[in-house]
Amino acid sequence: MDDLYREQIIDHFKNPRMKGRLEPHDFSFEDDNPLCGDRVRIDLRVDENNRITEAAFDGEGCAISMASADLLLESILGKDIEEVKKLSKEDVLDLLGIELGPVRLKCALLSLKVLKAGVYGLEELEEELT
Ligand code: FES
């Protein structure tokens, strides 16, 4: 079973479906994994009901971080922002389907951290504070 998931991770790393940038976008946020400095940026477009119509990520990182960003963004298309706010670490780990140690866990959860920060509007908050 693990092998199947590993193949899926490599495939999403090598052939990402959701990689790119959205200009204009409704939400955008970028952050890094403090352990390695790898960065991910996520752009989202939503419709009038706050449902995600388009999503894209950009950045550099290891296979786990890039594959999890790709899988995560694929999984949120059509969801509304409130549903995205409720996504958990377990949801991302289910998408990846493999056991991960603590360092690899940070890689896997980088895109979730960026996504949640984006939808919670931290970018606007930071702008207001600077
Ligand atoms: Fe940097 Fe995985 S090694 S995100």
Side-chain angles (χ1 to χ4, degrees):
M1 193 57 146
D2 250 25
D3 279 355
L4 250 183
Y5 282 114
R6 274 177 220 284
E7 272 175 34
Q8 176 186 247
I9 289 168
I10 291 166
D11 181 42
H12 276 268
F13 175 57
K14 288 191 174 160
N15 308 299
R17 288 67 156 166
M18 310 298 290
K19 194 147 191 212
R21 292 198 172 201
L22 298 175
E23 297 292 352
H25 47 253
D26 297 302
F27 294 87
S28 180
F29 199 71
E30 182 173 338
D31 203 356
D32 64 8
N33 177 346
L35 294 181
C36 62
D38 289 344
R39 295 188 78 78
V40 168
R41 166 184 157 141
I42 291 178
D43 296 337
L44 301 176
R45 282 190 191 139
V46 296
D47 66 14
E48 62 286 359
N49 299 315
N50 269 344
R51 280 195 186 276
I52 294 166
T53 55
E54 287 179 81
F57 77 96
D58 200 10
E60 296 294 330
C62 62
I64 299 276
S65 67
M66 296 293 103
S68 74
D70 206 48
L71 286 159
L72 179 64
L73 292 195
E74 250 186 4
S75 79
I76 61 167
L77 289 176
K79 288 196 160 82
D80 73 35
I81 292 295
E82 291 310 310
E83 288 176 280
V84 171
K85 285 180 182 172
K86 290 187 196 129
L87 286 172
S88 69
K89 164 178 148 183
E90 283 69 33
D91 292 321
V92 176
L93 296 181
D94 281 352
L95 289 170
L96 286 169
I98 55 167
E99 296 276 324
L100 295 169
V103 173
R104 287 300 181 187
L105 200 56
K106 291 264 189 220
C107 302
L109 298 178
L110 174 59
S111 52
L112 182 65
K113 177 174 95 162
V114 174
L115 178 64
K116 286 215 174 190
V119 298
Y120 274 103
L122 292 186
E123 187 175 39
E124 284 85 349
L125 188 64
E126 276 181 357
E127 276 169 15
E128 267 176 38
L129 296 175
T130 51

